[in-house]
Amino acid sequence: MIVADRKSLEEIQEMIKPHRKLLIVGCKGCVTVCNVGGSKEVEILASALTIARKKENNEIEIDTTTIERQCDNEYVSQLKETVGNYDAVLSMACGVGPQFLSEYYREQKFYPAVNTTFFGGAVSHGIWEERCAGCGTCIIHDFDGICPIARCAKSLLHGPCGGSSNGLCEISKETICIWDAIVAKKIEQGRLEDLLKVRPAKDWRTARDGGPRRSIREELTR
Amino acid sequence: MRLNYPSEVKVIQVPCTGRVDIIHLLNAVEKGADGVYVAGCLEGECHYLTGNIKTRKKVEYVKKILGEIGIEPERVEMYNLSSAQGARFAEIAREMTAKIRELGPSPVRMNDPVSEKKAA
Ligand code: SF4
Ligand code: SF4
């Protein structure tokens, strides 16, 4: 899923400062699963902002709603009756949400309430980790299901580098060296010689480096 | 056992403190409560195993939110006691009331004539 973190309340308060009537829109997709922008978090943010403005004696009226997905115009369009009734709209979806909303409702002002961080999953309750960098050419089968693109700080294809020490990456004591993990798994599986293979340079044009990407599925287009 | 505790304290019963959510605590502050506290069972004695422990984390989160928006985090607290500790219940009620009295009325209520009346 796409993982995000809520922006600080300070930043959000600053964004919405000029507005007196606000709609907060949540998304039932990824941000609900990573507990950042689902209906629960929408209500919490609405309450926190209401309290803050009451305290400043500068009241704000906040309504809330959570749609199925903000990255799908079919659901975005469901806001058409209400979206115009507000000074501005705060989206709690990943960065795709407020963009789809802005494209659909050109007259309205949309703000992102979250910082979109990575593609990953929950490794335990309340802890999410990055697993994929969307490079466009998946090669994890060569590394026994471990992605060196997203999980090695240098995206090395032949690792580890000299910064690997005691299983940790040189960038921080909290980051494991994923190449150490790849080597350990190869040894465990008796396939260490796989890593002797010299790989050609990766073609990064399928990744973000090739510019904004688009996916067309002819059988689905109308 | 008849014990007195401050009449300002309004008790809301829940089946387990685990039922208390972040939004419930925030809503109380939003509607003008000067303080809110959760009285849970002793740690390790939750009938649902971890309801009280989970709620302590929620209380901590609410405190963090309040701190971020400039409201004294001490207005929200969590206490643990067993259902057999009636005297402790009254003592906590007095303790919390005294603390809130020291902090004064909630800044939320001060600017809101409607909740000012309701919460008074
Ligand atoms: S190799 Fe590329 S597509 Fe596969 S998991 Fe890693 S970043 Fe994602
Ligand atoms: S220490 Fe390991 S994870 Fe860190 S950059 Fe080097 S090879 Fe990559």
Side-chain angles (χ1 to χ4, degrees):
Chain A
M1 81 186 102
I2 294 177
V3 180
D5 292 317
R6 198 199 65 222
K7 284 181 177 287
S8 73
L9 290 171
E10 196 188 343
E11 188 180 350
I12 298 174
Q13 276 176 275
E14 190 57 37
M15 280 176 172
I16 62 158
K17 213 173 198 165
H19 308 302
R20 304 192 69 95
K21 195 164 184 232
L22 191 74
L23 176 68
I24 304 183
V25 189
C27 176
K28 291 188 190 163
C30 305
V31 288
T32 288
V33 187
C34 68
N35 301 65
V36 87
S39 56
K40 240 182 164 171
E41 294 76 28
V42 163
E43 295 310 322
I44 291 170
L45 180 60
S47 183
L49 294 175
T50 305
I51 295 171
R53 289 286 280 264
K54 274 191 178 175
K55 178 185 169 255
E56 289 165 10
N57 204 6
N58 175 19
E59 287 210 27
I60 187 168
E61 198 185 320
I62 304 182
D63 285 335
T64 57
T65 184
T66 299
I67 62 175
E68 214 54 40
R69 279 195 302 278
Q70 290 188 25
C71 53
D72 202 326
N73 283 332
E74 188 184 331
Y75 302 111
V76 166
S77 67
Q78 291 170 349
L79 298 173
K80 73 171 166 287
E81 307 297 330
T82 48
V83 84
N85 302 338
Y86 302 89
D87 296 348
V89 179
L90 197 55
S91 162
M92 293 202 85
C94 75
V96 180
Q99 292 193 56
F100 262 61
L101 290 166
S102 307
E103 283 164 35
Y104 203 93
Y105 302 107
R106 304 190 71 85
E107 311 294 305
Q108 186 53 286
K109 174 94 184 138
F110 295 92
Y111 295 95
V114 310
N115 292 323
T116 307
T117 46
F118 54 79
F119 305 153
V123 288
S124 66
H125 217 84
I127 303 176
W128 288 267
E129 277 183 3
E130 184 163 17
R131 286 291 182 271
C132 173
C135 77
T137 312
C138 197
I139 46 167
I140 53 169
H141 50 291
D142 286 350
F143 306 104
D144 299 324
I146 302 175
C147 172
I149 306 298
R151 301 177 69 189
C152 163
K154 295 170 183 155
S155 297
L156 293 179
L157 288 173
H158 305 89
C161 74
S164 177
S165 145
N166 296 323
L168 295 177
C169 171
E170 63 183 343
I171 64 157
S172 104
K173 298 242 175 310
E174 256 101 74
T175 310
I176 62 161
C177 167
I178 207 62
W179 266 103
D180 186 89
I182 291 172
V183 172
K185 195 158 177 189
K186 285 287 183 199
I187 292 173
E188 186 188 304
Q189 305 201 331
R191 288 205 289 259
L192 192 58
E193 69 281 3
D194 288 359
L195 296 179
L196 292 174
K197 188 176 131 196
V198 177
R199 310 183 67 94
K202 188 170 165 69
D203 183 349
W204 290 100
R205 285 173 300 184
T206 59
R208 252 292 307 167
D209 310 59
R213 290 163 285 176
R214 191 175 209 201
S215 182
I216 301 174
R217 297 261 306 273
E218 291 298 350
E219 74 280 21
L220 297 174
T221 57
R222 264 184 256 173
Chain B
M1 184 161 45
R2 282 180 171 276
L3 289 162
N4 284 330
Y5 65 88
S7 58
E8 293 94 327
V9 178
K10 187 173 181 309
V11 177
I12 299 172
Q13 292 187 339
V14 284
C16 167
T17 41
R19 180 65 190 87
V20 179
D21 228 324
I22 294 163
I23 193 67
H24 300 137
L25 302 170
L26 281 176
N27 277 341
V29 177
E30 183 186 331
K31 298 279 180 307
D34 294 322
V36 201
Y37 67 96
V38 182
C41 294
L42 293 169
E43 288 194 3
E45 288 182 13
C46 175
H47 288 288
Y48 303 97
L49 306 176
T50 54
N52 49 359
I53 292 165
K54 285 187 183 134
T55 294
R56 177 168 289 279
K57 290 203 162 179
K58 295 180 211 165
V59 170
E60 291 305 325
Y61 184 71
V62 172
K63 282 171 166 288
K64 197 172 142 237
I65 290 181
L66 294 181
E68 271 188 64
I69 54 177
I71 307 261
E72 302 91 342
E74 308 82 47
R75 292 189 184 275
V76 177
E77 283 309 341
M78 167 104 195
Y79 290 95
N80 295 89
L81 73 165
S82 92
S83 54
Q85 292 175 293
R88 177 72 186 129
F89 181 86
E91 187 184 304
I92 289 170
R94 281 193 296 272
E95 221 174 273
M96 188 71 188
T97 319
K99 188 161 84 178
I100 297 299
R101 198 158 278 144
E102 210 169 285
L103 290 172
S106 157
V108 168
R109 185 158 71 89
M110 302 240 283
N111 296 327
D112 184 354
V114 183
S115 68
E116 167 84 292
K117 239 180 272 154
K118 263 190 267 160

